[in-house]
Amino acid sequence: MSAITIEAATRTAQAPAAAQAQTEAQAQTEPQAQTEPQAQTAAQAQAEPQAQPPSVAEMRLPVWFFGFEGVLAGAFDLLRAAPSAWPALVALVVVNLGVSLTLMRRRLRLAKLLWRGKETRKVALGLVGLRLGSHLVLGLLGAAVTGALGHVLFALVMSAVTVALLAHVQRTALGALVAAGRITA
C-alpha cells in the first residue's frame, strides 16, 4: 500500500515539472506566434470604442407611451360609461405589450427600473387612493358620479393624472441614473 502511495506522489511531483519544461520548450520554438496575437488584441482594443453608457435620449420613454397606462388607469370609469368597451381595453393591453416588447425593446431596461422603483409604487398607490377617495368623497357629498358623461370625464382626469405622474417619475429616475453615472446626460 505504501509503495503505491509513494509512486503516485512521485508521479504527481514530476508532472508539474514536466509540464513547465514543455511550456518553456514551446515558448522558445514559437516566440513570434505568441507575440502576434497579443499585438492584434491590443490593436483591436484600441480600434474598438469602449462601451459608452446609454444617453438620456436613448433611455427616455416617450410620453405617448404613458398614454397606454393612462387609458388603463381610466378603465374603471370607461367601463362604467360603456360596458361594451372591454374588448377594446383588452386589445389595448395586447398592443401595449406588443409595443413594449418590440418598438421599446431598447428602453426596456428603464421600464424595468421604473416598474421596480419606489416612486412608481407610490404613484400606483396614490392613483388607487385618488380614485377610491374621490368616489367616496363625492358619494358622501351626494354628488356621486352616475352618468356616462361623468364617468368619461372622470376617466379623462385619471388618465391625465397618470400620464403626468409617470412622466415625473421617469424624469426623476433618469436624473438619479445620470447622477449615479449609469447613463450620460
Side-chain angles (χ1 to χ4, degrees), residues 17 64 66 103:
W64 62 261
F66 295 133
L103 298 176

Side-chain angles (χ1 to χ4, degrees), residues 48-55 58-59 106 109 181-185:
E48 295 175 6
Q50 292 185 358
Q52 294 288 333
S55 69
E58 291 172 352
M59 294 292 290
R106 295 180 64 210
R109 192 172 89 181
R182 295 185 68 190
I183 62 174
T184 59

Side-chain angles (χ1 to χ4, degrees), residues 82-128:
S84 61
W86 69 267
L89 289 174
V90 170
L92 187 66
V93 168
V94 171
V95 169
N96 187 8
L97 288 173
V99 169
S100 297
L101 297 176
T102 56
L103 298 176
M104 300 294 163
R105 186 79 178 156
R106 295 180 64 210
R107 297 171 176 160
L108 203 55
R109 192 172 89 181
L110 176 65
K112 286 179 184 178
L113 289 172
L114 291 176
W115 291 332
R116 292 180 182 154
K118 274 200 268 186
E119 292 294 318
T120 307
R121 281 186 242 140
K122 288 179 184 177
V123 167
L125 292 175
L127 288 170
V128 169

Side-chain angles (χ1 to χ4, degrees), residues 54-70:
S55 69
V56 171
E58 291 172 352
M59 294 292 290
R60 178 175 282 132
L61 294 168
V63 177
W64 62 261
F65 182 72
F66 295 133
F68 288 123
E69 281 73 22

